[in-house]
Amino acid sequence: IYACRAWVNFDGNVSPPSIRGSGNVSSITDDGVGLFTANFTTAMPDANFAVTIAGQDSAFNRLNRTLMGRAKSTTEAEISSVVPNNNSPEDLAHYNIAVFR
């Protein structure tokens, strides 16, 4: 089965990050500006999963930001968001992560 194994919608502008809704994500860890870790409630069978990431600011504007996965394991997926023209990290108000395997 190739289904969504975990998902989360959270606010990265507050500390600690605030989860609005989720499935199989127990918490979000703030690892620094623009750096977050989604912690899975139930571990993945292996780290061979795909992570999709989307983000918006508090006004729901479309942003020219680079959102990427940093690392992953059976129990977590790390993401980052940066401004591409100067590569500076930035927290966003709306992050959406989905994990497929």
Side-chain angles (χ1 to χ4, degrees):
I1 298 173
Y2 306 106
C4 182
R5 296 283 186 103
W7 66 273
V8 65
N9 174 308
F10 72 95
D11 184 346
N13 272 340
V14 296
S15 184
S18 175
I19 294 176
R20 294 184 186 91
S22 68
N24 196 30
V25 173
S26 59
S27 63
I28 298 293
T29 304
D30 188 343
D31 300 322
V33 177
L35 305 171
F36 299 94
T37 300
N39 302 291
F40 303 137
T41 304
T42 301
M44 300 294 155
D46 54 46
N48 298 325
F49 53 84
V51 179
T52 60
I53 310 160
Q56 296 174 308
D57 66 8
S58 59
F60 290 100
N61 291 318
R62 295 182 66 186
L63 299 173
N64 181 20
R65 301 294 183 265
T66 302
L67 301 167
M68 62 194 130
R70 297 185 301 137
K72 56 187 178 176
S73 73
T74 59
T75 59
E76 65 185 27
E78 299 176 3
I79 67 158
S80 66
S81 55
V82 298
V83 180
N85 62 345
N86 62 11
N87 211 29
S88 64
E90 181 180 47
D91 287 340
L92 300 175
H94 299 273
Y95 286 94
N96 299 288
I97 302 171
V99 175
F100 295 91
R101 176 163 190 316

